[in-house]
Amino acid sequence: GEDVEQSLFLSVREGDSSVINCTYTDSSSTYLYWYKQEPGAGLQLLTYIFSNMDMKQDQRLTVLLNKKDKHLSLRIADTQTGDSAIYFCAESGGANTGTASKLTFGTGTRLQVTL
Amino acid sequence: EPEVTQTPSHQVTQMGQEVILRCVPISNHLYFYWYRQILGQKVEFLVSFYNNEISEKSEIFDDQFSVERPDGSNFTLKIRSTKLEDSAMYFCASNGRPSQPQHFGDGTRLSIL
């Protein structure tokens, strides 16, 4: 079955860049997502990338996809204390209408931003 | 911006009791999902729903679980006879097409005593 792996913890200083990594096994993954979860809160969609893209940039966020190695990364530029949260990588394979497409989540990376 | 809303935010139930978790997906969305997250663990898929029927369900979604769209706005998850191990955060999500990102509610924390 599908599997998505992430490192558990990352600590960075405020103002530095953070890079959160994710690997996945399903070669038919069509979309890859990054969600943010703050303590006690729900899952906030940050950004996503289609599998035929290599890179996507959205303000402070840059997503890089290496489809050959099945590796996805999220770079947060100028990391702020408000970025402290758990970041989940997720993949889905479906793009067909008429069939709902489940998300398979990684274990989550806890990002700690220090002053 | 439209949101997925879930109620209640926290549900405490005695083991063996039935519980219904409620969700109102985004109004023009057609695909609906339930996920759960046991404390400290990853988010796990439970079930997806489209066109008034289950599209896919995981091994977790056994006979104790059921879903329903009783009207044009609500999407519910029922656990018939709760067990201690059902304690978790339950998230509802929806999207307009499978190719679109799923938008999540804030979750219902279910505590089984």
Side-chain angles (χ1 to χ4, degrees), chain B residues 15-53:
Chain B
M15 187 172 62
Q17 295 296 304
E18 175 183 285
V19 66
I20 297 176
L21 309 182
R22 302 182 191 279
C23 170
V24 179
I26 292 173
S27 63
N28 61 349
H29 283 182
L30 300 175
Y31 299 83
F32 314 116
Y33 310 81
W34 283 101
Y35 295 82
R36 80 170 185 191
Q37 184 183 31
I38 294 171
L39 187 63
Q41 298 187 22
K42 66 166 71 177
V43 178
E44 302 173 289
F45 168 77
L46 290 178
V47 66
S48 58
F49 191 86
Y50 169 73
N51 200 26
N52 281 320
E53 59 183 28

Side-chain angles (χ1 to χ4, degrees), chain A residues 100-112:
Chain A
S101 186
K102 70 178 183 185
L103 291 175
T104 301
F105 283 84
T107 48
T109 299
R110 181 178 297 277
L111 175 64
Q112 179 184 65

